[in-house]
């Protein structure tokens, strides 16, 4: 940023000229849908991360399976998925946590898992993607019991 740009931004902040802070919903939306997973994990691991957001995670709470196996490790995708459920489910008393948003979060979870699989050797990728589908179907089937979805939206 140039000196002039920095000065103008400082003046705008000092006088509150059109630069509002993003809402919790906007922050969560950005971190879940517009932030690369590796950057999300860096932010989650940063002790100075936004304290208004819920960062705790049980990673993959899939019974028996856990977060990783010989052909996959979905720990990081599970962390972002937990973050999304825990934050969207509480914002505005859960009014923004709709069926459509939950479906979008779950699709992002599948995309994150598939991206993780694409980094594995070619001969285990199909097995990894099969496990990703199992986890995805698990959250689609059982996920709503862990987060109240607003039925009116």
């Amino acid at each position: 940023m140039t000196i002039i740009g920095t000065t103008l931004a400082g003046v705008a902040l000092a006088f509150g000229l059109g630069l509002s802070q993003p809402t919790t919903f906007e922050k969560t939306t950005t971190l879940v849908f517009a932030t690369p997973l590796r950057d999300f994990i860096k932010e989650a691991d940063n002790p100075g991360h936004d304290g208004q957001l819920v960062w705790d995670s049980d990673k993959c709470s899939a019974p028996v399976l856990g977060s990783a196996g010989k052909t996959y490790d979905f720990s990081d995708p599970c962390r972002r998925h937990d973050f999304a459920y825990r934050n969207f489910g509480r914002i505005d008393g859960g009014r923004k946590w709709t069926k459509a948003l939950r479906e979008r979060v779950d699709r992002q979870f599948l995309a994150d898992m598939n991206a993780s699989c694409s980094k594995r050797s070619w001969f285990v990728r199909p097995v990894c993607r099969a496990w990703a589908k199992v986890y995805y179907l698990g959250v689609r089937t059982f996920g709503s019991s862990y987060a109240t979805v607003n039925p009116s939206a």
Side-chain angles (χ1 to χ4, degrees), residues 7-77:
T7 303
L8 290 175
V11 170
L13 284 174
F15 293 102
L17 302 175
L19 295 178
S20 62
Q21 293 292 325
T23 65
T24 304
F25 183 79
E26 291 167 335
K27 291 176 195 177
T28 302
T29 299
T30 298
L31 286 163
V32 173
F33 301 116
T35 303
L37 183 58
R38 70 180 177 284
D39 294 341
F40 170 83
I41 296 302
K42 285 180 193 172
E43 182 65 20
D45 289 343
N46 178 356
H49 57 228
D50 190 330
Q52 293 181 325
L53 301 173
V54 180
W55 295 92
D56 65 310
S57 172
D58 56 10
K59 296 189 180 163
C60 298
S61 55
V64 181
L65 298 176
S67 300
K70 290 181 180 183
T71 60
Y72 66 94
D73 183 350
F74 299 144
S75 300
D76 290 346

Side-chain angles (χ1 to χ4, degrees), residues 57-121:
S57 172
D58 56 10
K59 296 189 180 163
C60 298
S61 55
V64 181
L65 298 176
S67 300
K70 290 181 180 183
T71 60
Y72 66 94
D73 183 350
F74 299 144
S75 300
D76 290 346
C78 287
R79 284 179 70 185
R80 177 153 50 188
H81 190 255
D82 284 351
F83 174 87
Y85 266 56
R86 288 180 170 108
N87 285 285
F88 284 132
R90 72 178 181 84
I91 295 169
D92 292 337
R95 287 187 294 279
K96 293 184 185 280
W97 186 232
T98 63
K99 289 180 182 181
L101 180 55
R102 178 177 166 249
E103 184 176 338
R104 185 176 176 204
V105 165
D106 292 345
R107 282 194 319 264
Q108 181 64 50
F109 179 49
L110 179 60
D112 285 345
M113 290 186 292
N114 281 330
S116 171
C117 291
S118 70
K119 296 174 187 168
R120 298 204 166 264
S121 62

